[in-house]
Structure formats: C-alpha cells, structure tokens
Amino acid sequence: MPPPPFVQVEQVSMRYGGLEGTLALQAADLAVARGEFVAVVGPSGCGKSTLMRLVTGLWPATAGRVTVDGRPVSGPVAIAGMAFQNPTLLPWRSILDNVMLPLEVVEPHRRQLRRERARYEAEARELLAQVGLAGFEQKYPWQLSGGMQQRASLCRALIHRPALLMLDEPFGALDIFTREDLWAVLQEVWMARRPTVILVTHDLREAAYLADRVLVMSARPGRIIAEREVGFQRPRRLEDTYAPEFQALVHELRDHIAAAREEGPDAARREAADVR
Amino acid sequence: MSADPALARARRRRRVEAALPWLVTLAAFLLWEGGVRILGVAEFILPAPSAVALSIQKWWWPILENAGQTLFTTVLGFLLAVAFGLALGVAIGSSTLLYRGLYPLLIAFNSVPKVAVVPVLVIWFGIGTWPAVITAFLISFFPIVVNVATGIATVEPELKDVLRALGAKQTDIIRKVGLPRAMPYFFASLKVAITTAFVGSIIAETVAANAGIGHLMIVASSRFDVPLVFAGLVVTGVMGVLMYAVAAAIERRTTGWAMRGQDGTGLAVGG
Ligand SMILES: Nc1ncnc2c1ncn2[C@@H]1O[C@H](COP(=O)(O)OP(=O)(O)OP(=O)(O)O)[C@@H](O)[C@H]1O
Ligand SMILES: [Mg+2]
C-alpha cells in the first residue's frame, strides 16, 4: 500500500462572505506526498491563494475535507512556513531578527532559542548568505530593495525547517535574474531538507524547473483540471530550461491554462446556477 | 570646511527651522504687547505680556507651588490613562467582539463634557486632588484607546497569516506584531493625551480644588487680578509644551522605524 498523502484536499469548496459571496473553489481535489514539490498554476483569481489558506488551516473550508499529515485540519496547522508575493517583513526588526521570528514562535526552537541563540543566529546568517544577503543582517527592511526584502522573506519561511512549505508567488515581484538565482537556492534547500512544498506561481518555467508535479487549476470557481509529472533529473540546471523537452512541457502547461481561461465564462455561469 | 554650498545651505535651513518656534512665539508676544499699548486696552480686560511677566515675578512662589500641584495631578491622571488606555486598546484592538461591544459605549462616554462630571467626582471624593486626577484621566484615555486599538486592528492579514501558520497564539501575535505596530499610534496619541490631561485637571481645579493653577486663576479672577489669571494661562501653556516635548522625544527614540529614518535621526532599536 502506498503511504497516505501528506496533504490531502477532498471535494473542498470555499465561498467567501456568506451565501451570496464569491465561490472561490468548487469541489477541488488534491493530494501531495510527503517530501514532494508541487507547483500550482492557473488563471488569475481562480482561487490559488484560497487553496493555500485552506491547506494551512488559516480559513475553514465551506465544504469538504482537508487533512495534513493524517490529521483533519480544523485550525492553523502550526507546521507551515509561508511566503507571499509581498515580503511582509516587520519594519521595526532588523533583517536578521525578521528571519529569526519563526524561531520565537515554533517549538522546540522557542524553548531553546535563548540558550542556543548563537547557533540559530549562525544558521540564519548562513541562510541569508545563501540568498545573497550577507552583510545586510543588521539593516532594516526599508533599507533594502523590494527584491532583497523578498529574499529575506523566503529565509523567514525556511529558517525553522518546516515540514510544509507554502509559497504563494514568492518570486512574482522579482526580476528574472534574481528569480533564477532563487530557484537554484530553493531547489538546493529542498533537496537537502526535503520539505513538502506547494508553490503557487504564474511563471510556467518556474513551475517546470522546480516542481515534481504541476497542477493546473480551472478559472474561478477553481478546481484542479490537469496535472503533469515533471520527470527531469535533479539537480536541474538553468540550461535545462532551454532544452526542447522542457520547452514542450511549458507549452503544454500554457495550453492547459489557455483552455482553462476559455472555459471562464462557462464557469461563471455554473456558479450563477449554483447560487440559485 | 564650507566647500559644499548645498550642505551649508541645508545646515542653515535646519538652524532656521530650530529657531522658528521661538521666533514665532516672540513675535506673537511683541504683537500682543504692541497691540495692547497702541489701543490702550485696560489691564483688567487684556493685560500686556509685560504686565503678565511682572505678575509672574511678583507671585512666583504661589505660581510655582500651584503649578507643581497641577503638574502632579496631570501626570498622575495621564499615567493612569496610559496604563488603562493601553490595556483597553489592546483588548479592543485584538477582539472584534469587544470592539463591537465597547466602542459605542466609549464614544458615548467621550461625548460627555468632562465639566459635567466634576460635580459627581466632588460628591464621591470631596474637594481636592482626586477630582483633578480623575478628570485628567477621563479626558485623556480616549485618544490612547482609539489609537492603540487602531494600530493593533490594522495589522496586515498576511503578516498574521505567517504567524498563525507557525502556530502562534493570539498572545504571540499581539506581542510580536500588534504591540510594536501600535507603538507609533500610541505615541502619537500620547502627545494629544498629555495636553488634554492638562485641560482636564485645570477644569477640575477651577471647580473643585483648593490648590493648582486652575484654583489660582479662579482666586485671581475673583480679585480682578487679571494679569495673574493670564500668568496662570501662560504657565499652563509652558507646562503643556514641555510635556509634549517629553512625549515627542520618547516617541522619536522608540519608534524611529516608523519614520523610515528619512532625516537620518530615526535609526530604530530592535524589539
Ligand atoms: N478575503 C476575501 N474575501 C472575499 N473574497 C475573496 C477573498 N479572498 C479572495 N477572494 C475572492 O476569491 C477568488 C479567488 O481569490 P484568490 O486570491 O484565491 O485567487 P488567486 O488564484 O490567488 O489569484 P491571483 O493569481 O491573482 O493571486 C477571487 O475572486 C477573490 O475575489
Ligand atoms: Mg493569489
């Protein structure tokens, strides 16, 4: 028997704001194995961020079942590292203190932090160096560029070695070069620690480069309409993304999304019918 | 040294900015003095600043004594307001239920003129220090509550999500994010609150005290010693500005991050 999925989403629907509200997800199904790297792509506004909130238990689903690590999710899962499209750093903390924030919250680090501060701090510095922020530890977020803040925010998501890493377009606001650098860093960290990763992205090259499996969502109300294994060998290199097989995969994904967007008006009508 | 004219200009500009409040105050006093002299206004209607200064010189000990009393009641009431306002602000800002339940009551309470409350306080506490302390407290806690609550309630949802997904408890979120974020709001409100606290204690002193600047002014006016009344006003104004400056200095030291260090003075101390 195969091991049960680490993250399982079964027939989950989500409607914001009461009966007449926006139906963001409808009967979505999703299963992610432990240690798997999954990318979720789909048209804008289709419910990707919503899916992330439901998996981490930040919001309760309107219908359906979410389980993480075998347990039904009824509140925040308390094991997830998160990063969003905007960096959401705390302006009154230095970059180093921002990165170390999860250690002040998550057990067992929380208990050990005072005693083993030096070790934790070294880890944080190393992580910052990995994303090219060595020398900026004592700066404040507003003294860094947007892209640098975003990199610090990624470090904050990683510092406590979460079993579940939820990344919601973390590279969306970055220039292409920084983005590609960070893909490499993320792949490296993932290969070293093997967390379960769910990455939302608009960048199909990014999805294909990083993920073991790419899931395509329909237009709102969202559900998974296609999935594609990505078999390329790891560690993947940037050059690989220009190989014909890789390009073919990206095109295939693009076609799926184009189809999903076409289907959009239909989906809206479905929803209207559903309200009645 | 003065090689860079832009730098020199900036320095001169900064010096002018620092001197400006003094210059404006001085000009206002001169205008007042001149106006009173030219128009020949009677001293018992509007005394000239020179007459007020003479009065201060003549009555300096009673003024100092009474100013001390007013400062004491004001600061005590203000400190109570800070403690209570901070606690209530945190509670209201972090719980929608409390916000919904208490906010209308707070608004209603704040709309009651505090002069109307003083007689009640006299019935409860008698004439003396307490009515002034409590009036100062009542009048100054509202801005603190509202500001702290706003600071905490408007924490970015994504930031809360980051912490909640880590398993942070509500108290963690308030301690690590809510409170530090509310600090600029809090200190902004302190600057308002300390000046209104003076209003509160002086109102109470004019009605229900036998000491304090308010009491001094009432006594002076009953003797038609108008220069002394104005002396009381001036002394109150000076105390208000001094306390404001203290609050502003604390604000600059603790929440420099909120100013983003634009003027180079605001390097924050981490929290
Ligand atoms: N807090 C909210 N309250 C009400 N409606 C919401 C809320 N958050 C999202 N929605 C609605 O749910 C739908 C899906 O939103 P969601 O943020 O999940 O989309 P998304 O796929 O992440 O979009 P994007 O790719 O642009 O980030 C949208 O139509 C949006 O209007
Ligand atoms: Mg989104």
Side-chain angles (χ1 to χ4, degrees):
Chain A
M1 212 176 85
F6 187 67
V7 173
Q8 186 153 34
V9 170
E10 292 166 286
Q11 292 292 302
V12 161
S13 301
M14 178 69 188
R15 189 187 287 283
Y16 284 104
L19 278 177
E20 302 285 311
T22 316
L23 186 63
L25 287 180
Q26 190 172 45
D29 281 303
L30 168 73
V32 183
R34 184 185 292 275
E36 192 181 15
F37 197 134
V38 163
V40 177
V41 297
S44 176
C46 71
K48 301 183 293 293
S49 299
T50 303
L51 184 66
M52 303 291 268
R53 286 188 204 123
L54 297 186
V55 169
T56 41
L58 294 172
W59 294 60
T62 313
R65 230 167 82 91
V66 180
T67 43
V68 171
D69 202 7
R71 275 187 295 274
V73 170
S74 58
V77 290
I79 54 162
M82 293 189 93
F84 301 96
Q85 185 168 6
N86 44 342
T88 61
L89 299 175
L90 302 176
W92 54 88
R93 281 174 172 241
S94 67
I95 293 299
L96 185 68
D97 286 340
N98 261 295
V99 170
M100 291 179 68
L101 177 67
L103 302 175
E104 297 169 23
V105 174
V106 180
E107 296 290 3
H109 312 295
R110 184 186 188 133
R111 232 175 317 129
Q112 299 167 358
L113 183 60
R114 197 183 290 265
R115 215 169 343 113
E116 301 186 41
R117 181 145 201 117
R119 178 170 67 81
Y120 281 120
E121 212 175 287
E123 251 173 67
R125 281 175 194 278
E126 194 181 322
L127 209 49
L128 280 167
Q130 242 181 318
V131 300
L133 286 180
F136 289 92
E137 295 87 352
Q138 297 308 331
K139 292 267 191 287
Y140 287 84
W142 42 270
Q143 295 171 310
L144 269 61
S145 75
M148 292 159 92
Q149 292 182 30
Q150 196 61 38
R151 285 183 256 167
S153 143
L154 184 66
C155 292
R156 183 181 61 186
L158 292 170
I159 184 73
H160 57 294
R161 301 171 178 265
L164 179 61
L165 193 53
M166 304 293 282
L167 305 174
D168 194 350
E169 298 184 44
F171 309 131
L174 301 177
D175 67 282
I176 183 75
F177 299 105
T178 314
R179 201 184 303 179
E180 288 174 348
D181 284 348
L182 290 183
W183 293 353
V185 171
L186 185 54
Q187 173 172 250
E188 204 177 303
V189 169
W190 178 77
M191 289 182 71
R193 304 181 184 175
R194 283 305 174 120
T196 307
V197 184
I198 302 182
L199 166 75
V200 167
T201 177
H202 281 140
D203 183 341
L204 301 178
R205 244 179 99 231
E206 176 174 304
Y209 174 88
L210 282 169
D212 297 324
R213 195 150 53 95
V214 180
L215 307 175
V216 182
M217 278 179 80
S218 69
R220 187 168 54 84
R223 70 209 140 76
I224 310 291
I225 48 168
E227 68 171 78
R228 180 70 162 75
E229 296 280 341
V230 185
F232 306 122
Q233 212 178 345
R234 292 194 193 260
R236 296 173 189 161
R237 294 163 311 156
L238 269 183
E239 301 91 271
D240 300 342
T241 65
Y242 299 104
E245 315 89 85
F246 192 96
Q247 294 290 334
L249 174 61
V250 169
H251 279 290
E252 188 190 324
L253 290 173
R254 178 171 306 261
D255 289 343
H256 277 307
I257 293 183
R261 289 177 47 147
E262 290 280 295
E263 190 204 347
D266 269 352
R269 240 173 293 152
R270 254 207 330 269
E271 184 188 349
D274 182 77
V275 167
R276 260 178 260 122
Chain B
M1 292 303 280
S2 55
D4 191 345
L7 209 67
R9 219 176 309 132
R11 204 174 308 133
R12 200 163 339 116
R13 196 193 149 80
R14 209 152 34 216
R15 221 174 303 141
V16 169
E17 267 173 24
L20 208 56
W22 301 102
L23 292 178
V24 170
T25 312
L26 192 68
F29 275 114
L30 287 178
L31 209 66
W32 176 3
E33 182 84 37
V36 168
R37 288 197 181 197
I38 289 165
L39 299 175
V41 182
E43 192 165 85
F44 64 86
I45 295 188
L46 179 63
S50 53
V52 175
L54 275 179
S55 177
I56 291 179
Q57 197 191 9
K58 182 171 166 200
W59 298 108
W60 70 272
W61 178 242
I63 288 177
L64 200 65
E65 225 175 7
N66 285 298
Q69 165 74 10
T70 299
L71 193 64
F72 170 71
T73 55
T74 302
V75 169
L76 192 57
F78 172 71
L79 290 180
L80 287 175
V82 169
F84 183 73
L86 204 54
L88 192 61
V90 169
I92 287 184
S94 41
S95 152
T96 329
L97 219 61
L98 276 180
Y99 181 91
R100 290 269 155 76
L102 285 180
Y103 214 76
L105 201 66
L106 275 173
I107 297 284
F109 182 80
N110 194 49
S111 314
V112 174
K114 298 302 170 296
V115 194
V117 182
V118 178
V120 181
L121 295 177
V122 173
I123 294 173
W124 289 349
F125 299 98
I127 295 222
T129 302
W130 285 108
V133 171
I134 292 170
T135 313
F137 162 74
L138 290 178
I139 210 168
S140 62
F141 86 86
F142 186 75
I144 301 179
V145 171
V146 171
N147 272 275
V148 171
T150 306
I152 290 186
T154 54
V155 169
E156 292 81 351
E158 290 195 333
L159 203 47
K160 258 191 243 174
D161 284 354
V162 168
L163 282 165
R164 285 175 60 216
L166 293 171
K169 293 186 284 288
Q170 178 77 9
T171 49
D172 287 329
I173 296 178
I174 292 172
R175 257 189 39 232
K176 307 248 175 247
V177 184
L179 273 177
R181 201 198 120 89
M183 280 305 111
Y185 295 81
F186 172 64
F187 283 109
S189 75
L190 288 196
K191 292 190 289 187
V192 179
I194 186 64
T195 46
T196 54
F198 271 107
V199 176
S201 40
I202 289 181
I203 285 177
E205 283 166 1
T206 56
V207 184
N210 31 36
I213 287 287
H215 175 69
L216 177 107
M217 288 196 299
I218 285 295
V219 170
S221 75
S222 70
R223 296 194 331 212
F224 297 103
D225 187 349
V226 183
L228 185 54
V229 175
F230 273 81
L233 290 178
V234 168
V235 168
T236 310
V238 170
M239 288 196 293
V241 170
L242 287 181
M243 294 310 289
Y244 180 95
V246 170
I250 299 176
E251 174 184 28
R252 258 199 314 281
R253 307 209 78 191
T254 48
T255 58
W257 59 267
M259 322 281 183
R260 302 283 133 89
Q262 280 144 347
D263 51 8
T265 56
L267 262 190
V269 186

